Amino acid sequence: MKKEHLKENEIQEYVFDFRNCNYSIIQHIDNCNTCKKAVTDYTLLSEGIKTQPEPLLEYDLAEMVMAKLPAVEKKPKREYNSSGLVALILGIIGATIYLFKNNISTLVKLNDIATYLIISIGAIIAVLWIADIVKSHNKKINSIYLQH
Amino acid sequence: MNKKQPTDKELIKKVLRGDSSAFNIIITNTQGLVISIIYKMIRNNEDRKDISQEVYLKVYSKLSGFKYKSKLSTWIATITYNTCLNHLEKKRILVMEPINDEGMDVWETISGEMPDDNNQTERYVSDKERSEILGSEIDKLSPLYKTIVTLYHNEELSYQEIAKITNLPEGTLKNYLFRARKKLKDNLLSNYKRGDL
Ligand SMILES: [Zn+2]
């Protein structure tokens, strides 16, 4: 046990940072009424600070801020989605197939591996192309919303 | 039935999609902390009002850059503290007085006389008076001391969070908190003594 009384910072460490408090400090306080009283003073101070009244606002902060926000909020209620764009692209492909159905049926009648290969490669390219268009379109739309 | 509170992430996502009611919730959730900081840092009521709005307009415009490295409230508190700091700099007000330790040991040993002085005063000073005296003593502290005392004792933030908000190393923050409390305790004791006379 320390013979001298504790220092102010040691008392505060005991009150506010007990986990990091040295054992010799704890031991001293347990055996010294003067330092125990200093502990009580700091504890009372802490309680006093906690019970200080909170500042009262005389205005509605949220309402004032909301009125000043840039006018982005007139965004459509429904979230934007790219189904319209996909439908348009599928429509174009469908119309193309319909218009050239005679040529296509001739191709299919040939029924050889080369024809299937051409059709499958064409289909894969079409899918990737549609996906790319939709992605870049969404990106542009989102950046327009976020810019506001 | 308990309705689940939306998380920071959910609220931010909604705001970025243009849902203003989510921003309203963010303000409601964090304004206590924001106001606490502003009221400790800034004295003038008109300035307090302007700064509180400025803070949330900044939060709104910077929200897409929030990196989730801290709680949203800590991030907003940091913006609040920095906005107040800029204001004080413009007005040439010091955020804290220079520390003057020359020729004295700030961390003096506890004196054996103190308990008697204190006991005597307890008989004369009512709780209400005590609280008012403490309020005015807190008010006399520098803006930085007042703020960190409030963040620690009233808002119950961790050292780590307060250090992040004030951009102080944790060791320095603890040292400032110690000094602020000691100053408060000494001033209170001298106040009570005067009250006894
Ligand atoms: Zn002692």
Side-chain angles (χ1 to χ4, degrees), chain B residues 60-121:
Chain B
Y60 187 81
S61 68
K62 290 180 173 185
L63 200 59
S64 59
F66 178 61
K67 298 278 188 286
Y68 300 95
K69 283 182 182 164
S70 64
K71 283 196 275 184
L72 179 64
S73 58
T74 309
W75 182 70
I76 294 177
T78 310
I79 292 177
T80 309
Y81 179 78
N82 289 333
T83 308
C84 292
L85 214 57
N86 288 341
H87 179 87
L88 293 179
E89 266 168 27
K90 265 187 227 156
K91 301 254 170 180
R92 293 170 190 271
I93 299 169
L94 287 177
V95 72
M96 69 175 281
E97 297 117 33
I99 296 170
N100 188 7
D101 289 351
E102 286 163 36
M104 66 170 230
D105 181 7
V106 192
W107 303 123
E108 73 243 38
T109 308
I110 295 296
S111 131
E113 292 160 29
M114 202 175 60
D116 290 341
D117 290 343
N118 217 21
N119 280 342
Q120 214 178 8
T121 60

Side-chain angles (χ1 to χ4, degrees), chain A residues 1-6 11 28-29 31-36, chain B residues 110:
Chain A
M1 186 184 129
K2 284 189 178 181
K3 279 183 184 159
E4 230 180 35
H5 286 308
L6 295 173
I11 299 281
H28 178 105
I29 289 169
N31 295 294
C32 172
N33 284 335
T34 304
C35 287
K36 223 177 250 172
Chain B
I110 295 296

Side-chain angles (χ1 to χ4, degrees), chain A residues 5-8 12 16-17 37 41 46 48-50 52 59 62 64 66 68 72-73 75 146, chain B residues 16-17 20 24 52-53 60 105 108-110 118 131 134-135 152-154 156 174 178 181 185:
Chain A
H5 286 308
L6 295 173
K7 287 182 181 254
E8 294 272 355
Q12 286 203 40
F16 303 112
D17 209 1
K37 185 67 185 70
D41 284 340
S46 171
I49 298 170
K50 275 197 184 94
Q52 285 293 301
Y59 53 95
M64 286 174 78
M66 297 311 288
K68 283 192 173 177
V72 247
E73 275 59 61
K75 172 197 171 289
L146 293 180
Chain B
L16 293 179
R17 277 197 232 121
S20 62
N24 209 327
S52 61
Q53 293 176 74
Y60 187 81
D105 181 7
E108 73 243 38
T109 308
I110 295 296
N118 217 21
S131 173
L134 176 58
Y152 184 88
H153 290 279
N154 299 90
E156 296 180 347
K174 280 185 184 180
F178 281 158
R181 290 187 201 113
K185 192 200 71 171

